[in-house]
Amino acid sequence: MGAAVTGYFTAFSLILAIGAQNAFVLRQGLLRAHVFAICLFCAVSDAVLIAAGVAGFGAMVEAAPWLPLVMSLGGAAFLIVYGAMRFRAAWVGDYAMVLEGKSMALIPALATCAAFTWLNPHVYLDTLGLVGAVSTGFEPGPQKWVFGIAAICASFTFFFALGYGARLLGPVMQSVATWRRLDAGIGVVMWLIAAKLIWPLI
């Protein structure tokens, strides 16, 4: 029981922080566009990384010292571009399609989600690093994997709650001004995270 509780709340607390991936899931949830596919992709990606971390795969990062730099630069570049897109959308204010509930097609949406997920170095730190490290407090065997499964369940719980819970905000997202504020806020989050990735490299 202790392993399950520790695994669930460790993972949930790490995912809870507002980040680029969460902001994208929230936006898709507000649009009610490809919500199931987006949430499933995020949760399964986390499951793969958590399983790898619990299995002791975190040593991969230590074995490839160049990986954090490559991931930081690639992730920062993507966040800067996507943040600029959100700022431009907020500036132009053309939300006719958004207010009609239209979004990008499924494949581009999944590709964008994949970039937010796999180009974010913090994902690896949280899953391969921190979750993997906490899992070492349990003996190899059933207890350790109970910890991992509970952590994976936390990821599924969070992303589906965020994606489908976003529709509760639907009534207040019926104006161009509100969408402008949301996109501007997302742009700020993207650029702040990009700055956080780049700053240690300067």
Side-chain angles (χ1 to χ4, degrees):
M1 184 65 178
V5 172
T6 302
Y8 189 92
F9 285 103
T10 297
F12 198 91
S13 63
L14 291 173
I15 303 169
L16 191 60
I18 296 175
Q21 185 188 49
N22 294 351
F24 181 73
V25 173
L26 175 64
R27 194 173 194 278
Q28 290 300 119
L30 288 169
L31 289 171
R32 302 189 182 189
H34 319 303
V35 178
F36 181 82
I38 295 294
C39 293
L40 183 64
F41 181 90
C42 291
V44 169
S45 295
D46 260 16
V48 170
L49 291 166
I50 289 169
V54 171
F57 219 62
M60 177 188 70
V61 178
E62 295 180 7
W66 49 266
L67 188 59
L69 174 61
V70 172
M71 297 304 301
S72 293
L73 291 176
F78 178 77
L79 291 171
I80 289 170
V81 171
Y82 189 80
M85 290 170 60
R86 298 274 58 85
F87 281 127
R88 182 180 182 279
W91 177 264
V92 173
D94 184 9
Y95 288 100
M97 293 181 65
V98 169
L99 293 174
E100 292 174 8
K102 296 180 180 179
S103 175
M104 65 179 79
L106 175 60
I107 298 303
L110 287 175
T112 303
C113 189
F116 281 132
T117 303
W118 295 94
L119 288 179
N120 181 4
H122 293 292
V123 169
Y124 299 92
L125 174 63
D126 289 348
T127 53
L128 292 177
L130 296 178
V131 174
V134 175
S135 74
T136 61
F138 299 94
E139 292 294 328
Q143 283 296 301
K144 192 169 186 177
W145 286 107
V146 165
F147 171 91
I149 291 169
I152 290 170
C153 288
S155 182
F156 274 83
T157 301
F158 177 82
F159 284 115
F160 278 92
L162 178 63
Y164 284 99
R167 65 184 56 192
L168 297 176
L169 297 175
V172 300
M173 299 301 296
Q174 298 301 313
S175 71
V176 170
T178 306
W179 275 99
R180 272 182 154 166
R181 285 193 290 269
L182 175 67
D183 272 340
I186 291 175
V188 169
V189 169
M190 299 301 163
W191 281 13
L192 286 175
I193 296 173
K196 188 176 179 180
L197 292 176
I198 295 172
W199 182 254
L201 307 177
I202 298 177

